[in-house]
Amino acid sequence: MRFDLITIFPEFFAGPLNYGIVRRAQETGLVEANVQDLRAFTKDRHRTVDDRPFGGGEGMVLKPEPLFEAVESLLGFSVGEASKPGVTDSKTAIVLMSAAGKLFRQETARRYAQLERIIFICGRYEGVDERVAKHLATEEISIGDFVLSGGELPAMMIVDAVTRLLPGALGNEASSQNESFSGEAHSHAGRESRDENGVLLDFPHYTRPAEYRGWGVPGVLIGGNHAEVAKWRRAAALEKTRRNRPDLV
Ligand code: SAH
């Protein structure tokens, strides 16, 4: 999997790309991450990436030219409107980060994990010239119903969510199959299909000490009866999902 991140703040990614699973995935060659400085694709002396909005209003908007040039230089060919459907084979996505985009979900991460390449366009200021969404990006994606000041954190969240789904990225292969939103969180508990109760969140986890400040661990987890543990986890996951995310059940 190759990730390209187009940004006006390339140094931003130095931290997030260098820890844990994402770092290891790069070290083992599972993932390649390239950060592209948008200003490198400007042609004027001031390396201008933004301009004032047509129609007036507050703030600045990222100009289309450097973004088109950046993506085209990564792809190695030009993007014309007519050829947009052929911009990419189905193995590449050009993802515009946008608070006004479609919501990113675990199922989006699963779909992206099948790709060979994702090019992220990180917006800033008031956002990005709409022609980027219409004629360059293959998808416009939001990571949640709130507004951030840039697309870098959102893009990084997607890089993380997708990387940990790649086979071999996690130390324990099973662990991405039995977690929140996997649709299989309930499989611990022997549930047969996700339709029955929707998607469950993860069950609560406990580790040592068995008693901490007077708060004990549920006895069934210490008892060693695997069937009972599975039953408890299923019920606890369901209870937690109902409490925290009634919309999922
Ligand atoms: N005026 C825009 C917000 C611009 S925020 C609006 O009201 O929708 C600046 C940039 O931050 C955006 O271009 C986008 O790239 C990024 N961004 C902000 N919130 C985001 C979110 N929830 N998901 C993805 N990207 C986001």
Side-chain angles (χ1 to χ4, degrees):
M1 170 71 73
R2 175 173 163 154
F3 299 114
D4 296 287
L5 300 139
I6 302 172
T7 172
I8 60 167
F9 296 129
E11 309 79 18
F12 191 98
F13 292 97
L17 283 173
N18 271 301
Y19 292 90
I21 287 161
V22 173
R23 181 198 181 114
R24 204 181 57 205
Q26 291 170 90
E27 285 168 354
T28 60
L30 200 56
V31 153
E32 189 188 332
N34 291 286
V35 182
Q36 299 285 332
D37 183 355
L38 182 61
R39 291 190 198 279
F41 299 92
T42 56
K43 300 211 163 100
D44 63 311
R45 198 158 55 88
H46 300 293
R47 310 218 298 162
T48 310
V49 291
D50 60 333
D51 207 336
R52 296 179 20 227
F54 277 120
E58 296 298 306
M60 301 295 271
V61 175
L62 285 184
K63 293 161 64 60
E65 310 96 303
L67 288 167
F68 272 80
E69 303 232 353
V71 170
E72 287 177 339
S73 103
L74 287 169
L75 289 173
F77 56 87
S78 294
V79 175
E81 188 183 354
S83 71
K84 185 175 174 182
V87 163
T88 59
D89 47 87
S90 54
K91 290 287 175 196
T92 301
I94 303 170
V95 179
L96 171 64
M97 302 320 308
S98 161
K102 293 186 178 159
L103 268 189
F104 180 77
R105 305 166 69 96
Q106 189 65 17
E107 65 194 61
T108 325
R110 281 194 291 268
R111 174 162 63 83
Y112 285 177
Q114 308 299 315
L115 300 174
E116 283 168 6
R117 184 175 197 184
I118 306 175
I119 300 176
F120 293 97
I121 300 171
C122 305
R124 277 276 157 180
Y125 315 120
E126 283 306 310
V128 178
D129 186 287
E130 187 65 15
R131 285 164 290 192
V132 170
K134 278 195 159 156
H135 307 296
L136 182 61
T138 58
E139 334 197 7
E140 185 174 1
I141 295 288
S142 165
I143 52 122
D145 290 344
F146 40 82
V147 180
L148 299 164
S149 48
E152 288 77 10
L153 283 172
M156 191 58 223
M157 290 168 76
I158 295 178
V159 166
D160 188 302
V162 172
T163 297
R164 62 196 304 292
L165 290 180
L166 300 175
L170 299 183
N172 172 5
E173 277 293 321
S175 49
S176 81
Q177 284 170 16
N178 295 301
E179 58 191 4
S180 301
F181 310 112
S182 66
E184 293 165 48
H186 48 276
S187 70
H188 280 276
R191 209 160 264 290
E192 258 116 58
S193 86
R194 60 182 279 172
D195 315 313
E196 200 178 328
N197 263 312
V199 176
L200 292 192
L201 298 177
D202 198 9
F203 55 79
H205 301 269
Y206 289 92
T207 185
R208 283 181 285 194
E211 175 129 344
Y212 179 64
R213 298 192 177 187
W215 301 302
V217 169
V220 59
L221 299 181
I222 297 165
N225 180 332
H226 294 303
E228 286 301 309
V229 167
K231 216 169 109 192
W232 180 88
R233 284 179 168 168
R234 183 186 87 185
L238 190 56
E239 188 278 323
K240 190 162 184 170
T241 308
R242 286 211 169 105
R243 179 160 38 90
N244 287 348
R245 293 293 304 278
D247 56 305
L248 293 178
V249 196

